[in-house]
């Protein structure tokens, strides 16, 4: 007999298995309605591939797996999809989940399907793919996708393939009766698994409270490399890690998987489903479910179509409504209550328990922990349940994780032995859910932070690229200029000078007028505007502004306003500008080659304006006598001297750097005045002698 290893802790609750083993497996038939939750497994829910109103065949895929850890869902009989909606699903919370609802047509017509003629000629990967497509998830209760467990990493050596026939939970006999009645299918399934995993040894672990099942398996496995290993009954020996330890003496480290220590473990029911998928091409659409408890007259095992409401099975088993204190999915240790009997059978439903109040009385009120330590003695994972309880009460997530809360298999052995009737396992379930939620929130926040940082980095990169391009353009600019031909450089220089002249002209109307006149004389092009017209316009505009300024001053004086001084300054400045504009206009007209009119005038500036207007009007202007002309030029020069002196005064007051240049201009004007005065005196003397 093969050696086995004991595990820590464990308990021996009443087994209550015999009542459901009195009769053989019974087909449950086709109910009036089938309900298929999209999440019957650990992992992402499947997504419907049918619509309301579609007709489907038995074995047809009605929902597709989403992601690696997920499995598809198949119709368990032919019929019509009548709804895709939320229905109550088997879950400890009693929650609703999305389901596909099918009304059977009663024909039970299969979709075309076929198995593999000789699986030994198939690659393991191809067989694993078929297992995945068949929608097989762990049928012992966990619902972990079988294909994921069998997707062994390349290079991993599997020492031991273990088939779990323990079924340690009280009341449940689905695996036991499968072993008794269909040992051949189980062994055929084990051989397929052995072909996929290539283990060094193959073990089927069965508790010694199932002698008929053990005998049937041993008979079916005779002559093969498969060893059936009976071992002493103790709850919860059926936990995956516990069974591995019992059969191999190896412990799966915390946070690791069995494959990490060279072990693959599959349930008896799952092994049978794999056999049917590979050899017959049938997806997982039915299973064996125990219906038991004192509230049913005939406890037994049913071969039931997935999606069948549990009430249908209870009715077949002679359920006496009102006798059960509650309906439980699973056993009394790890099971959970459901809110009503319309909850459907799914891939993991191994038992529907309808206990009477006498049979499973409600637990008495919890008392304070007396620190007896019995929970720690019972724990098969060697945890410290009372410590976990304290930390769960104080919501100390860090301490809970530090004390390996997630190694707890929720077997309920600690609650079972607790003399204070503390529902310890309920605290652990709630704490696990809370921590998972916190971690999801944390992951979401981290994800959002990473997205924000990535965005900032992207924006910074774009800015850096822009800056780099700008600098490159700057560096490229001088080298481009340097490559111009001398002719091009001359054109560029002329353009620059023109631009500078334009700026000067726009800044100083008088200088503009003079410059334009000189340019006209020299045949140069400075600007399109007529300089004389511009100068006249300047005078006219300045006269208007002066009038407005005088009006404002008059009004302010009449009102006794405190702005009188400001307006007066404005009038003075505008008057100075008008004088300046008039002088500029006079100088411009003097510099323009023309036949000047012999217009005598007391005011030389007015005389200049009159001559210009006569010329513009096309009138013939008489030649001026020398004295008159010199007087006009002298008056114009004196006006310019006055305007320049005013400019020097303003520039000096403002601290402008133009003062020096203006001073130089003033000195030249003074020389010119002196020269004109001398010429005028000579002209007058000559005129006097001639007369
Ligand atoms: S068995 Fe109950 S009373 Fe005893 S130490 Fe554990 S939690 Fe406390
Ligand atoms: S429920 Fe968890 S803590 Fe309690 S005995 Fe089982 S494994 Fe240990």
């Amino acid at each position: 007999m093969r050696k086995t290893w004991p595990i820590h802790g464990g308990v021996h609750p009443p087994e209550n298995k015999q009542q459901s083993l009195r009769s053989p497996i019974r087909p449950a038939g086709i109910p009036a309605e089938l309900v298929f939750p999209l999440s019957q497994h650990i992992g992402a829910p499947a997504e419907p591939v049918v619509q309301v109103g579609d007709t489907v065949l038995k074995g047809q895929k009605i929902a597709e797996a989403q992601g690696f850890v997920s499995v598809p869902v198949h119709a368990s009989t032919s019929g019509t999809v009548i709804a895709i909606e939320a229905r109550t699903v088997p879950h400890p919370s009693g929650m609703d989940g999305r389901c596909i609802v099918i009304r059977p047509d009663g024909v039970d017509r299969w979709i075309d399907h076929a198995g593999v003629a000789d699986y030994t000629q198939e690659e393991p990967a191809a067989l694993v793919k078929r297992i995945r497509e068949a929608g097989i998830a762990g049928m012992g209760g966990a619902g972990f996708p079988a294909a994921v467990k069998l997707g062994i990493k390349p290079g991993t050596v599997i020492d031991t393939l273990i088939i779990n026939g323990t079924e340690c939970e009280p009341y449940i006999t689905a695996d036991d009766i499968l072993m008794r009645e269909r040992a051949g299918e189980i062994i055929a399934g084990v051989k397929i698994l052995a072909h996929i995993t290539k283990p060094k040894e193959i073990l089927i672990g069965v508790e010694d409270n199932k002698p008929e099942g053990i005998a049937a398996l041993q008979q079916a496995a005779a002559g093969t490399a498969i060893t059936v290993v009976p071992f002493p009954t103790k709850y919860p020996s059926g936990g995956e890690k516990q069974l591995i330890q019992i059969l191999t003496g190896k412990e799966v480290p915390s946070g690791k998987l069995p494959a990490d220590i060279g072990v693959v473990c599959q349930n008896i029911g799952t092994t049978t489903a794999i056999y049917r998928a590979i050899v017959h091409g049938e997806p997982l659409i039915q299973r064996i479910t125990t219906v038991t408890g004192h509230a049913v007259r005939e406890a037994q095992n049913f071969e039931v179509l997935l999606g069948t409401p549990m009430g249908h099975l209870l009715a077949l088993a002679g359920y006496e409504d009102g006798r059960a204190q509650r309906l439980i999915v699973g056993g009394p240790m790890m099971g959970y209550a459901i809110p009503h009997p319309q909850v459907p059978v799914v891939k993991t439903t191994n038992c529907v328990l309808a206990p009477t109040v006498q049979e499973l009385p409600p637990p008495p009120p919890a008392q304070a922990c007396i620190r007896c330590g019995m929970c720690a003695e019972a724990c098969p994972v060697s945890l410290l349940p009372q410590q976990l309880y304290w930390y769960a009460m104080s919501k100390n997530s860090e301490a809970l994780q530090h004390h390996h809360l997630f190694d707890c298999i929720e077997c309920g052995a600690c609650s079972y032995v607790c003399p204070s009737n503390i529902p310890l396992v309920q605290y652990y379930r709630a704490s696990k859910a809370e921590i998972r939620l916190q971690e999801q929130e944390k992951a979401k926040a981290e994800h959002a932070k990473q997205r924000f940082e990535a965005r900032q980095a992207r924006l910074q990169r774009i800015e850096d690229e822009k800056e780099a391009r700008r600098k490159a353009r700057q560096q490229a600019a001088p080298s481009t200029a340097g490559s111009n031909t001398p002719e091009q450089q001359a054109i560029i220089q002329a353009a620059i000078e023109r631009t500078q002249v334009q700026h000067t002209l726009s800044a100083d109307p008088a200088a503009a007028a003079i410059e334009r006149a000189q340019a006209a004389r020299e045949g140069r092009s400075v600007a399109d505007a007529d300089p004389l017209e511009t100068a006249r316009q300047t005078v006219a505009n300045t006269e208007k502004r002066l009038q407005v300024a005088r009006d404002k001053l008059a009004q302010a004086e009449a009102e006794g306003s405190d702005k009188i001084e400001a307006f007066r300054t404005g009038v003075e400045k505008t008057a100075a500008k008008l004088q300046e504009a008039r002088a500029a206009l006079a100088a411009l007209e003097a510099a323009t080659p023309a036949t000047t009119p012999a217009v005598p005038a007391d005011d030389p500036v007015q005389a200049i304006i009159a001559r210009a207007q006569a010329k513009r009007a096309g009138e013939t202007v008489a030649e001026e006598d020398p004295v008159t002309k010199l007087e006009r030029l002298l008056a114009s020069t004196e006006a310019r001297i006055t305007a320049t002196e005013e400019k020097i005064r303003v520039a000096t007051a403002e601290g402008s750097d133009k003062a020096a240049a203006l001073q130089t201009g003033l000195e030249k004007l003074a020389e010119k005045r002196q020269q004109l005065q001398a010429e005028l005196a000579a002209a007058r003397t000559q005129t006097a002698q001639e007369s």
Side-chain angles (χ1 to χ4, degrees):
M1 194 176 208
R2 184 186 167 89
K3 179 186 175 185
T4 58
W5 284 259
I7 56 169
H8 179 267
V11 291
H12 293 87
E15 292 178 4
N16 285 313
K17 289 180 180 276
Q18 287 309 311
Q19 51 267 49
S20 58
L21 287 168
R22 293 190 203 109
S23 52
I25 297 170
R26 175 183 168 189
I30 303 173
E33 187 178 89
L34 292 160
V35 179
F36 299 88
L38 295 171
S39 185
Q40 304 186 27
H41 52 269
I42 286 177
E47 195 58 32
V49 291
V50 291
Q51 294 182 339
V52 175
D54 287 358
T55 55
V56 294
L57 297 173
K58 182 172 186 170
Q60 181 178 332
K61 188 188 285 183
I62 56 175
E64 184 58 274
Q66 300 298 305
F68 179 62
V69 185
S70 183
V71 290
V73 179
H74 301 78
S76 55
T77 189
S78 55
T80 306
V81 177
I82 59 169
I84 300 175
E85 61 187 18
R87 294 280 184 102
T88 307
V89 296
H91 190 273
S93 66
M95 68 178 190
D96 285 358
R98 202 159 165 235
C99 300
I100 297 172
V101 185
I102 291 177
R103 182 188 299 129
D105 57 14
V107 181
D108 203 30
R109 186 170 156 222
W110 265 100
I111 194 169
D112 288 342
H113 62 288
V116 176
D118 182 1
Y119 68 82
T120 62
Q121 300 304 309
E122 296 282 334
E123 284 296 318
L127 296 174
V128 171
K129 190 177 173 198
R130 274 182 169 262
I131 291 167
R132 176 183 165 83
E133 279 301 300
I136 299 173
M139 296 168 73
F144 197 78
V148 177
K149 270 191 183 180
L150 295 170
I152 300 157
K153 290 182 208 156
T156 303
V157 176
I158 299 302
D159 295 320
T160 312
L161 170 63
I162 292 177
I163 307 301
N164 190 345
T166 311
E167 199 167 54
C168 56
E169 176 102 12
Y171 284 96
I172 306 174
T173 58
D175 286 351
D176 190 355
I177 204 155
L178 200 57
M179 289 187 268
R180 294 180 190 207
E181 297 190 17
R182 298 179 187 172
E185 288 186 11
I186 295 169
I187 296 301
V190 175
K191 287 179 180 174
I192 295 168
L193 287 171
H195 175 70
I196 293 170
T197 59
K198 309 279 188 297
K200 292 177 185 165
E201 61 175 355
I202 307 164
L203 308 174
I204 304 178
V206 190
E207 281 187 327
D208 58 9
N209 62 351
K210 304 175 186 65
E212 292 90 341
I214 291 169
L217 284 176
Q218 284 174 332
Q219 189 178 351
T224 70
I226 301 166
T227 306
V228 180
V229 186
F231 58 89
T233 299
K234 182 164 77 171
Y235 179 83
S237 299
E240 189 175 65
K241 291 185 177 179
Q242 285 65 45
L243 182 61
I244 290 169
Q245 189 179 351
I246 289 168
L247 296 185
T248 67
K250 294 179 182 173
E251 282 191 44
V252 182
S254 176
K256 296 284 183 183
L257 297 171
D260 295 327
I261 59 165
V263 177
V264 168
C265 194
Q266 291 286 358
N267 167 265
I268 284 276
T270 314
T271 305
T272 310
I274 288 170
Y275 157 76
R276 299 193 74 82
I278 299 299
V279 176
H280 299 291
E282 295 177 8
L284 178 53
I285 56 169
Q286 60 188 21
R287 65 158 298 139
I288 307 297
T289 299
T290 305
V291 180
T292 187
H294 290 176
V296 297
R297 281 195 302 276
E298 220 179 319
Q300 60 194 296
N301 281 284
F302 290 99
E303 183 153 43
V304 52
L305 297 177
L306 300 185
T308 299
M310 294 179 192
H312 177 80
L313 300 183
L314 289 164
L316 291 176
Y319 173 60
E320 296 175 32
D321 201 6
R323 279 198 72 201
Q325 48 113 331
R326 58 193 160 138
L327 292 174
I328 296 170
V329 172
M333 300 295 285
M334 296 183 73
Y336 54 87
I338 53 172
H340 56 76
Q342 294 314 306
V343 177
V345 170
V346 296
K347 296 174 184 180
T348 55
T349 310
N350 52 9
C351 180
V352 181
L353 176 59
T356 60
V357 176
Q358 297 75 25
E359 191 180 5
L360 277 182
Q367 305 293 317
C369 171
I370 58 174
R371 296 178 183 271
C372 65
M374 289 174 69
C375 51
E377 283 177 26
C379 180
V381 192
S382 301
L383 300 177
L384 295 172
Q386 77 275 28
Q387 291 291 100
L388 292 173
Y389 167 60
W390 295 122
Y391 294 133
M393 292 273 285
S394 60
K395 298 194 181 301
N396 188 339
S397 304
E398 205 174 312
L400 282 166
Q401 287 174 278
H402 183 69
H403 282 75
H404 306 290
L405 173 68
F406 284 91
D407 283 349
C408 167
I409 60 172
E410 300 178 19
C411 67
C414 50
S415 307
Y416 182 77
V417 299
C418 178
S420 295
N421 301 306
I422 300 171
L424 296 165
V425 73
Q426 290 181 25
Y427 283 97
Y428 308 151
R429 280 185 190 141
S431 295
K432 281 182 182 177
E434 204 165 310
I435 291 171
R436 284 193 189 108
L437 196 65
Q438 285 170 0
E439 288 184 347
Q440 279 171 8
E441 294 298 323
K442 208 164 123 190
K444 267 193 219 164
E446 181 61 27
H447 183 61
K449 183 173 162 234
Q450 284 174 0
R451 282 179 54 196
F452 174 76
E453 287 174 350
R455 182 173 181 275
Q456 292 299 101
R458 195 176 68 246
L459 293 177
Q460 185 60 48
R461 196 174 60 246
I462 291 168
E463 278 303 309
D464 291 347
E465 286 169 1
K466 270 190 199 166
E467 181 62 16
R469 283 199 296 272
R470 193 181 64 76
K471 282 187 177 159
R473 280 198 302 273
Q474 272 183 347
Q475 284 169 357
S479 64
T480 304
S483 66
N484 287 332
T485 62
E487 291 75 16
Q488 287 170 327
Q489 289 285 8
I491 291 168
I492 293 168
Q493 185 59 35
I496 292 169
E497 285 172 3
R498 269 203 308 278
T499 306
Q500 288 170 342
V501 167
Q502 293 283 10
H503 288 166
T504 306
L505 297 184
S506 60
D508 184 347
I514 292 165
E515 174 61 26
R516 285 178 199 284
Q518 285 175 349
R521 268 202 312 276
E522 292 164 15
R524 286 190 284 114
S525 169
V526 175
D528 295 331
D530 178 356
L532 265 174
E533 188 56 39
T534 304
R536 286 186 194 111
Q537 194 62 47
T538 303
V539 169
N541 290 342
T542 312
E543 284 171 346
K544 283 180 193 167
R545 286 208 300 275
L546 180 59
Q547 189 54 50
V548 170
R550 283 175 175 154
D551 290 345
K552 284 184 179 175
L553 175 60
Q555 190 177 351
E557 286 172 339
E559 293 171 356
S561 168
D562 56 1
K563 293 183 180 173
I564 292 172
E565 280 309 310
F567 286 133
R568 185 169 289 134
T569 305
V571 167
E572 286 170 2
K573 281 188 178 176
T574 310
K577 280 186 181 173
L578 177 60
Q579 194 177 10
E580 187 181 329
R582 281 174 177 164
L585 177 60
L588 180 61
E589 286 173 336
T592 303
T595 304
T596 51
V599 180
D602 295 331
D603 183 347
V605 174
Q606 288 300 325
I608 292 169
I609 293 169
R611 287 172 64 84
Q613 285 173 341
K615 185 186 171 194
R616 196 165 62 248
E619 295 168 10
T620 302
V621 180
E623 191 68 39
E624 277 182 312
D625 67 82
V627 172
T628 305
K629 184 177 180 181
L630 286 167
E631 282 175 342
R632 179 171 57 77
L633 291 175
L634 181 60
S636 170
T637 303
E638 283 176 340
R640 290 176 66 189
I641 287 171
T642 305
T644 305
E645 284 172 340
E646 175 63 16
K647 277 186 182 179
I648 290 170
R649 188 183 64 76
V650 172
T652 305
E654 291 175 354
S656 169
D657 55 7
K658 289 181 181 173
L662 288 167
Q663 185 62 40
T664 306
L666 181 64
E667 287 166 8
K668 285 182 180 174
L669 285 170
E671 284 174 14
K672 188 175 180 183
R673 179 175 60 184
Q674 201 173 4
Q675 183 188 345
L676 285 169
Q677 284 171 341
E679 286 177 6
L680 179 59
R684 281 178 179 156
T685 303
Q686 188 174 353
T687 301
Q689 288 172 354
E690 286 174 355
S691 62

